[in-house]
Amino acid sequence: MGLDTSPEAPIPVGKVSAMIGGWIDRLGAVWVEGQITQLSRRPGAGMVFLTLRDPSEDVSMTVTCFRGVFDPVADVVAEGARVVVHAKPEWYAGRGTLSLRAAEIRPVGLGELLARLEQLKRRLAGEGLFAADRKRPLPFLPGCVGLVTGRASAAERDVLENARLRWPAVRFEVRNVAVQGASAVAQVVAAVRELDEHPEVDVIIVARGGGSVEDLLPFSDEQLVRTVAAARTPVVSAIGHEPDQPLLDFVADLRASTPTDAAKRVVPDVGEELARIGQLRDRARQAVRSRVEREEAGLAATVSRPVLAAPLRMVEEREAEVAALLDRSRRSLDHRLDRASSELEHTLARVVALSPAATLRRGYAVLQRADGAVVRAAAEVSAGEELRARVAEGGFTVTVSGAGASGAVAGSGGTSGTGAGDGRD
């Protein structure tokens, strides 16, 4: 609708509305699925008015239809029911409102709902949202538990009472939401996101009591499933009773059969934990006692060993050995000294016996020539040669009177003169 307008040349509201209506009239009819949130059938009126809402989004549209279109499904369609409508967009120019003019209304049956849920389940499972390796473990003792449930509902009471009976100090962040109807999905999704961002919440419980398949449909909504899959905080699904299995059960980190079971699975029992602590203390005490006794026995065995029972015994034994060795070394040294002294005496005696002085004492004399050479043969001297004669008590000069072997030696002067006291060896 390209129009040439300006502040000086505006167009009337009626013309704008008529132009919008003309453009919408060119749109074709569509099949629309939604949930009826408001239904108005005035007695005698030929038109039926209802509001059709998207279960996953906060979006709704007004639908009008003739009574003849609505009457065939009037007995099976009520507020909260899901329907498929074949309608054409319609613009009411007088009020500037858009609505859908229904030409056919079909209720969505239980079988069709279950078939669609099964298709959605397979598609989400194919994306890996239900994989076991995505499941996160719950904290052993959460400091704060987030609870998403209906206001003043039995599910809220069951969770709070059972959790506080098991662990009185547990804290809760409760978000009361609609758990069925057109606004349930949006409120539950918003509550889960809010608690997921809460810094103190360690685990989130989404709880609701039992109900029909239609009542539990919000907990099989794709948007809620993806929100829980993207949450960083572990989520526990406690929807309905044991046979009920909305898609939230498959994506949650833990499925509880009932809200009461969720409280028991999330919060430990203080009595059981105290008993477990007592058992662990007893085991620890016994383990320590056994260890101490074992170490005491080992210490006693070590202390009883001879080296520790009489620590000086080894020193004394070694002292005795050292004393014995010292005595042996002394005796050995004395023996060797005695033997060496005896040998020295014998050697000295032999030296003395063989010494020239001893020979001289027996009356022998040693003749030496003027150059000191000893005369050993008569042929070595000549007649008239003076020789030096050495005796035991001094010496004297002699003159050779004959030559050769038959020569005679004549002494001159006895022991007086130069011979006295010379050359004693």
Side-chain angles (χ1 to χ4, degrees), residues 361-376:
R361 288 191 188 96
R362 292 197 299 269
Y364 292 92
V366 177
L367 298 178
Q368 292 177 310
R369 303 177 69 175
D371 57 1
V374 177
V375 178
R376 293 180 173 81

Side-chain angles (χ1 to χ4, degrees), residues 161-381:
E161 289 182 358
N162 283 280
R164 285 168 180 160
L165 283 174
R166 292 174 63 81
W167 198 273
V170 65
R171 294 186 297 113
F172 277 91
E173 282 288 334
V174 182
R175 298 294 182 269
N176 294 121
V177 298
V179 292
Q180 69 182 59
S183 60
V185 174
Q187 292 186 23
V188 174
V189 168
V192 170
R193 288 175 177 171
E194 181 182 352
L195 292 175
D196 185 40
E197 295 175 357
H198 198 292
E200 296 182 359
V201 173
D202 298 322
V203 62
I204 300 172
I205 301 176
V206 181
R208 185 199 189 284
S212 64
V213 175
E214 292 83 354
D215 293 338
L216 300 181
L217 280 178
F219 299 97
S220 293
D221 186 83
E222 181 177 359
Q223 183 183 5
L224 176 59
V225 170
R226 294 190 181 278
T227 299
V228 172
R232 294 170 297 178
T233 307
V235 177
V236 178
S237 174
I239 306 301
H241 302 296
E242 181 67 32
D244 300 320
Q245 278 195 317
L247 297 186
L248 180 62
D249 287 351
F250 297 96
V251 74
D253 297 291
L254 176 67
R255 176 186 180 268
S257 58
T258 62
T260 300
D261 181 51
K264 294 180 179 179
R265 303 285 291 274
V266 169
V267 179
D269 183 84
V270 62
E272 294 177 358
E273 297 306 319
L274 288 176
R276 184 176 292 110
I277 290 174
Q279 294 174 359
L280 293 175
R281 283 179 175 174
D282 292 341
R283 290 175 56 188
R285 189 179 294 110
Q286 183 61 35
V288 172
R289 185 182 296 111
S290 299
R291 181 69 178 270
V292 171
E293 292 175 353
R294 185 170 64 252
E295 296 302 325
E296 287 180 346
L299 182 60
T302 302
V303 171
S304 64
R305 293 178 180 178
V307 67
L308 293 179
L312 297 180
R313 179 179 300 174
M314 183 179 295
V315 177
E316 293 172 353
E317 292 177 353
R318 297 297 178 268
E319 182 181 10
E321 292 179 2
V322 170
L325 292 174
L326 182 61
D327 184 61
R328 285 177 57 190
S329 64
R330 284 176 176 172
R331 289 200 305 271
S332 176
L333 180 60
D334 289 345
H335 177 69
R336 296 193 66 177
L337 290 176
D338 292 342
R339 187 174 60 186
S341 177
S342 176
E343 291 177 353
L344 181 60
E345 290 177 357
H346 294 156
T347 303
L348 179 60
R350 289 197 300 273
V351 169
V352 170
L354 297 175
S355 67
T359 304
L360 295 179
R361 288 191 188 96
R362 292 197 299 269
Y364 292 92
V366 177
L367 298 178
Q368 292 177 310
R369 303 177 69 175
D371 57 1
V374 177
V375 178
R376 293 180 173 81
E380 294 179 358
V381 297

